[in-house]
C-alpha cells in the first residue's frame, strides 16, 4: 500500500511541476502576444528573436514540447487511476459532494486544450518550420505581425481560439492552485497563493481572447 501511495504522490508531483513549468511559458507567451496589440514593431522583434535564437530553438523549444507531453500523459494516467479507485468498494465516490465540477472534468477541458494546441501548432509552429526549413525563405524580421493578423481573419478560427482560452481558464482555475497542494505547500501564504492563481486563471485567458478578437476586428488593409 505504501508503494502505491508513493507512486501516486510521485505522479501528482510530476504533474504539478510540469503544469507550473507550462504556466511560466504562458506568461512569456501572453506577454509577447500582447505586444502585437501595443507595438507591432516590438512584436516583430521579439518574435524574430524567439524564432531564430539557437537557445530558444534547440533547447527551450524541445523542453517545452516534452513538458506538454509529460503534463498531458500524466493527466491521463492520473485520471485512469482515479476512475479505477472509484470502483473500489471502500473508496466511496459521491461526485459533486467530493469535488467541484471543474476538478471532476479536468480531463475533458484538458482534451479540448490538447486539440487546440494541435491547431495552434499547425497555425504557427508548422508554418514557421515550413517557412524556414522547407521553403528556405530568407530571414524577414518584419513578417510576424502581418502573419499573426492574417491567422485571425477567419471568424471560425477566432471563435475556436476564444472558446479554447475559456476552457484554459477553467483548467487553470483548479489546476494552478492544486499544483501547490500536490507539492505539499500549506502555510500562511496558501490563501494568497489561491487568490493569485484564481486571478491568473481569469486574467491570462482573457488577454489571450482579447488579442484574438482584436486582430480579427482590426485586419490589415492593403
Amino acid at each position: 500500500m505504501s508503494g502505491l501511495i508513493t507512486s501516486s504522490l510521485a505522479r501528482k508531483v510530476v504533474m504539478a511541476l510540469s503544469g507550473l513549468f507550462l504556466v511560466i511559458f504562458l506568461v512569456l507567451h501572453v506577454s509577447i502576444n500582447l505586444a502585437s496589440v501595443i507595438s507591432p514593431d516590438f512584436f516583430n522583434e521579439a518574435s524574430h528573436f524567439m524564432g531564430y535564437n539557437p537557445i530558444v530553438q534547440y533547447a527551450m523549444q524541445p523542453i517545452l514540447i516534452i513538458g506538454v507531453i509529460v503534463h498531458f500523459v500524466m493527466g491521463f494516467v492520473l485520471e485512469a487511476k482515479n476512475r479505477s479507485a472509484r470502483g473500489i468498494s471502500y473508496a466511496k465516490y459521491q461526485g459533486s459532494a467530493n469535488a467541484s465540477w471543474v476538478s471532476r472534468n479536468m480531463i475533458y477541458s484538458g482534451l479540448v486544450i490538447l486539440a487546440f494546441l494541435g491547431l495552434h501548432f499547425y497555425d504557427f509552429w508548422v508554418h514557421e518550420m515550413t517557412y524556414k526549413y522547407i521553403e528556405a525563405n530568407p530571414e524577414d524580421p518584419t513578417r510576424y505581425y502581418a502573419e499573426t493578423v492574417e491567422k485571425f481573419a477567419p471568424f471560425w478560427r477566432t471563435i475556436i481560439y476564444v472558446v479554447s482560452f475559456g476552457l484554459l481558464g477553467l483548467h487553470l482555475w483548479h489546476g494552478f492552485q492544486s499544483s501547490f497542494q500536490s507539492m505539499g505547500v500549506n502555510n500562511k501564504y496558501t490563501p494568497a497563493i489561491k487568490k493569485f492563481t484564481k486571478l491568473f486563471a481569469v486574467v491570462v485567458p482573457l488577454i489571450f481572447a482579447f488579442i484574438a478578437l482584436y486582430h480579427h476586428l482590426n485586419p490589415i488593409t492593403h
Side-chain angles (χ1 to χ4, degrees), residues 28-41:
L28 177 62
H29 199 47
V30 76
S31 300
I32 295 176
N33 283 12
L34 186 58
S36 68
V37 173
I38 300 171
S39 174
D41 289 338

Side-chain angles (χ1 to χ4, degrees), residues 38 42 58 61 70 76 85 112 124 163 195 207:
I38 300 171
F42 178 77
Y58 305 119
Q61 189 168 261
V70 168
F76 296 142
V112 175
F124 294 95
V163 171
K195 290 180 181 178
I207 294 175

Side-chain angles (χ1 to χ4, degrees), residues 111-158:
L111 283 170
V112 175
I113 293 169
L114 186 60
F116 160 71
L117 285 175
L119 173 64
H120 190 62
F121 267 58
Y122 173 79
D123 278 345
F124 294 95
W125 189 81
V126 172
H127 167 78
E128 189 70 8
M129 296 300 104
T130 301
Y131 181 94
K132 290 191 297 187
Y133 301 117
I134 297 178
E135 298 176 353
N137 290 301
E139 290 189 32
D140 180 5
T142 65
R143 65 184 169 88
Y144 301 94
Y145 178 76
E147 290 175 352
T148 299
V149 176
E150 183 182 359
K151 289 297 182 183
F152 291 112
F155 178 74
W156 66 266
R157 180 181 273 110
T158 303

